[in-house]
Amino acid sequence: MNTECMAKEMRKLILTSLYHAKSGHPGGSLSCTDILAVLYNEEMNLDPADPKKADRDRFVLSKGHAAPALYAALALKGYFPAEDMVTLRKIDSYLEGHPSMKSTPGVDISTGSLGQGISTACGMALSAKLREENYRVYAVLGDGELEEGQVWEAMMFAAHYKLDNLCVFVDLNGLQIDGTTAEVMGSDPVPDKMRAFGLNVIEIDGHDYDAIRAALKTARETKGQPTCVVAHTVKGKGVSYMENQCDWHGAAPKQAEYEIAMKELENNG
Amino acid sequence: MAELKATRDAYGEGLVELANEYSNFYVLDADLAKATKTITFKKQYPERFIDCGIAEGNMIGVAAGLATCGNIVFASSFAMFAAGRAFEQIRNTVAYPHLNVKIVGTHSGLTVGEDGATHQCLEDLGLMRTIPGMIVINPSDATQMKAALRFAVEHDGPVYIRGGRLAVPVVYPEGSVTYTAGQSYRIAEGNDVTLMFCGHFHELTAQVKELLASVGMTCRIVDMPSVKPVDNKAIEDALKDTGLIVTFEDHNINGGFGSAVCEAACEVDFARKGPAVIRIGVEDAFGKSGTPAELMEKYGFTAEAVCRKILAAKAPEKLSLLDR
């Protein structure tokens, strides 16, 4: 499956799982889908048959509420059957509302409480440095998540310990629960702040596959400094009525909405 | 006069001793190495020591990330900032995935002294005890601290160890005690009351025992570093043999060691009359996804599940009637 096709299938799985769950977070799952598609389909050294392989690359979804996007990527790569996506958030499911490493194969760390995942990504990257191992660590932060002070503690740490095996994406979709990030808690200019914290900053369109690929290549080639890819994205990307709408941060589509979304995703592929 | 030594000093020394035996063993601190005594380790193993700066939340996350890669990780700060400030990081990022992170909070309790209330953590035992799967240990002297550290390294999962700033008597000869979860040490025999403590209370309990002896009463003394799990058998025995337990902790009486002993005491089937209290609630587990109704049922919040517990305690012969 090529990456474009994988992203389209991921979006459909995200919608389907949320529709069946009747709750969850479509907006922020759809905004980081293309980034995850490139990471899982092209970039990361992984073995779905051996999810805990020691030399695998690690992935940390620091914005854990985008769990459906992560699960969709894992399902399409064969970590578990895609049919199980409809059990998302259900009582006997292994697909928790937020990623749980004890429940779901392929999840490298449990996340959900914002600001915490990025620190664990630093720990994973540091372990590789200390033990002279070659794997890389990828993390995705939300832009609302940047309001958590711990993110900046982690950025300081990553730069201080020269974690050049760490590549952090900021899914900059501009919206959070209570409004735009500009209204709720302005974090601009994100690239300047990241640069000031010592990161190698690359700014891209987070839905442009070639731009994502190029950023990852630069990150791999950058020595002595962690990379931060500030990815400009559209919250709800791919579903017209969800795009740039705050209210689709944490609401599941009802049947009619679900059908429209699936039709749009099918036709736009 | 016994030698005086702070448990934090034993912590620094214990880390060095263990690092000799284990590879992939790392120690993190948040700019307090000189105070927590991880400096002792840092001097010996600078390449295995990571200073995280004054950022305890991030330190706990880094520790968790290191643990997911198969490392044994100790993370230290003052009890206030480790258990207090980083509580939620410990809860969600260390304990929820049950990672192999050992958190050592030094400078606990009033015996921090002159720094005052902001630094005297009186809540850490309570906070750490509420976290599912967390082992909580408050050693009473340097020797017990080293035994607790060895247990922590051998145990797969999160452990919180509470240390102190104050130099206190080394009661147990070096290397003379071993420790495992839930263990206590009966150190004096008596019939009228049991003095049960965690932390640095050897001296005070000995003084109480002596003063009571002067009025003709005898004391059993139990040193119980195991705040979670407590030694249920020692508590039950103390109740049956002496009828009264007096607990000691350098901590708020709410939520800590005394509360843990009370919980165990209330659940003792004393004199075969059944327990005094049955607690309905989440039994030291994390939640999961599901509807509220499904979750309440799964975690035992149904009339039938509650009644079964009541009948098992009060009228086991009636249990079968519920099956109809």
Side-chain angles (χ1 to χ4, degrees):
Chain A
M1 193 184 300
N2 69 32
T3 298
E4 287 80 351
C5 183
M6 171 145 161
K8 175 175 150 181
E9 292 306 313
M10 281 174 66
R11 286 193 163 89
K12 284 157 71 178
L13 281 176
I14 290 166
L15 267 292
T16 301
S17 63
L18 290 168
Y19 166 63
H20 285 276
K22 300 188 176 70
S23 68
H25 301 88
S29 297
L30 294 167
S31 64
C32 67
T33 292
D34 297 307
I35 295 164
L36 266 67
V38 176
L39 285 172
Y40 274 88
N41 207 39
E42 301 179 16
E43 177 72 7
M44 290 197 291
N45 165 30
L46 299 168
D47 181 1
D50 184 10
K52 298 217 175 286
K53 182 172 76 141
D55 69 344
R56 73 189 186 283
D57 289 337
R58 266 71 172 176
F59 178 75
V60 176
L61 186 66
S62 201
K63 47 173 289 185
H65 55 280
L70 174 58
Y71 296 156
L74 292 172
L76 292 171
K77 293 312 287 183
Y79 284 84
F80 49 82
E83 303 86 79
D84 290 354
M85 287 292 287
V86 299
T87 68
L88 175 71
R89 294 178 160 244
K90 297 206 187 299
I91 188 85
D92 293 321
S93 176
Y94 57 87
L95 301 175
E96 286 286 304
H98 291 82
S100 167
M101 66 183 289
K102 289 286 179 199
S103 307
T104 309
V107 172
D108 288 322
I109 182 72
S110 306
T111 52
S113 181
L114 295 178
Q116 298 189 20
I118 188 62
S119 298
T120 65
C122 290
M124 294 171 188
L126 180 69
S127 185
K129 292 283 178 194
L130 292 168
R131 295 167 58 156
E132 296 177 355
E133 292 166 345
N134 289 324
Y135 63 82
R136 293 181 58 77
V137 182
Y138 298 91
V140 173
L141 284 165
D143 54 351
E145 186 176 11
L146 301 181
E147 293 155 24
E148 290 281 5
Q150 189 175 338
V151 170
W152 303 99
E153 296 181 5
M155 295 293 95
M156 220 182 300
F157 184 96
H160 181 83
Y161 285 103
K162 301 183 168 52
L163 302 179
D164 53 17
N165 53 350
L166 173 67
C167 178
V168 181
F169 283 83
V170 177
D171 178 9
L172 200 91
N173 61 36
L175 296 178
Q176 56 189 116
I177 294 177
D178 282 349
T180 65
T181 50
E183 287 164 352
V184 177
M185 185 51 62
S187 54
D188 283 347
V190 174
D192 289 353
K193 283 178 177 156
M194 289 292 178
R195 238 172 252 125
F197 272 73
L199 283 92
N200 166 45
V201 176
I202 304 168
E203 232 178 319
I204 61 164
D205 171 350
H207 304 300
D208 177 338
Y209 300 110
D210 285 335
I212 299 168
R213 290 177 185 120
L216 288 167
K217 180 166 184 290
T218 307
R220 255 183 277 119
E221 289 165 354
T222 301
K223 298 298 168 206
Q225 210 183 9
T227 290
C228 175
V229 182
V230 178
H232 293 269
T233 58
V234 173
K235 196 154 182 164
K237 174 74 176 177
V239 179
S240 60
Y241 61 88
M242 288 185 176
E243 288 191 357
N244 293 315
Q245 296 301 315
C246 247
D247 291 343
W248 286 104
H249 171 87
K254 297 196 171 48
Q255 189 176 349
E257 293 162 335
Y258 171 62
E259 284 165 9
I260 294 168
M262 292 300 276
K263 205 168 288 173
E264 282 186 15
L265 289 170
E266 197 52 59
N267 294 340
N268 293 343
Chain B
M1 182 71 190
E3 179 201 353
L4 295 178
K5 189 178 197 172
T7 49
R8 60 175 170 149
D9 287 306
Y11 172 46
E13 293 169 13
L15 288 174
V16 172
E17 290 162 16
L18 289 164
N20 288 330
E21 300 173 31
Y22 291 87
S23 55
N24 302 327
F25 181 105
Y26 297 101
V27 176
L28 279 54
D29 207 306
D31 192 42
L32 286 170
K34 288 176 186 163
T36 64
K37 299 301 174 186
T38 57
I39 187 86
T40 312
F41 177 88
K42 181 182 178 180
K43 282 179 183 159
Q44 203 82 15
Y45 294 100
E47 72 291 350
R48 294 208 233 165
F49 177 85
I50 299 114
D51 205 320
C52 296
I54 310 167
E56 297 79 10
N58 181 59
M59 173 176 73
I60 295 297
V62 169
L66 284 166
T68 64
C69 300
N71 302 297
I72 300 166
V73 190
F74 277 80
S76 281
S77 181
F78 289 178
M80 183 62 79
F81 314 127
R85 182 182 300 236
F87 167 79
E88 200 230 319
Q89 284 83 355
I90 295 171
R91 193 270 189 196
N92 274 325
T93 299
V94 171
Y96 176 45
H98 204 70
L99 292 173
N100 211 12
V101 175
K102 321 302 170 186
I103 297 138
V104 179
T106 66
H107 294 63
S108 59
L110 292 175
T111 44
V112 168
E114 291 80 354
D115 275 355
T118 55
H119 285 54
Q120 295 163 347
C121 193
L122 301 172
E123 301 82 11
D124 54 325
L125 295 178
L127 286 165
M128 292 297 104
R129 205 165 75 78
T130 58
I131 298 177
M134 180 69 80
I135 304 272
V136 182
I137 312 167
N138 188 3
S140 65
D141 82 340
T143 307
Q144 212 177 59
M145 169 58 95
K146 287 191 182 177
L149 290 170
R150 180 164 295 282
F151 161 79
V153 168
E154 289 166 1
H155 173 77
D156 184 23
V159 177
Y160 178 75
I161 301 178
R162 186 181 209 229
R165 170 175 182 265
L166 183 68
V168 294
V170 181
V171 174
Y172 305 104
E174 170 106 30
S176 69
V177 295
T178 57
Y179 177 78
T180 191
Q183 191 173 343
S184 69
Y185 308 78
R186 198 189 286 191
I187 55 177
E189 270 313 332
N191 300 319
D192 300 309
V193 53
T194 300
L195 311 179
M196 197 171 272
F197 68 91
C198 68
H200 57 77
F201 286 104
H202 282 286
E203 280 181 306
L204 179 58
T205 52
Q207 289 163 1
V208 170
K209 180 178 165 67
E210 197 178 318
L211 192 53
L212 285 176
S214 72
V215 298
M217 287 174 71
T218 61
C219 296
R220 173 182 295 180
I221 301 180
V222 176
D223 174 2
M224 192 180 294
S226 308
V227 176
K228 184 186 179 187
V230 291
D231 184 344
N232 285 292
K233 179 74 166 59
I235 293 164
E236 185 172 344
D237 289 347
L239 278 180
K240 287 181 175 166
D241 298 343
T242 69
L244 175 66
I245 297 172
V246 180
T247 62
F248 299 73
E249 62 195 302
D250 190 351
H251 187 275
N252 192 319
I253 58 166
N254 296 315
F257 175 66
S259 295
V261 171
C262 286
E263 290 161 14
C266 283
E267 290 176 351
V268 168
D269 188 355
F270 192 57
R272 304 210 180 280
K273 289 177 183 167
V277 177
I278 295 172
R279 292 175 294 157
I280 303 300
V282 178
E283 294 171 3
D284 205 46
F286 286 100
K288 67 171 310 304
S289 289
T291 66
E294 288 166 340
L295 289 166
M296 292 309 273
E297 184 180 349
K298 184 179 176 77
Y299 286 83
F301 295 91
T302 64
E304 187 186 333
V306 173
C307 288
R308 284 190 182 280
K309 287 188 174 172
I310 294 169
L311 293 181
K314 291 298 247 191
E317 71 283 1
K318 293 186 178 172
L319 264 171
S320 61
L321 299 179
L322 284 184
D323 295 333
R324 286 183 303 184

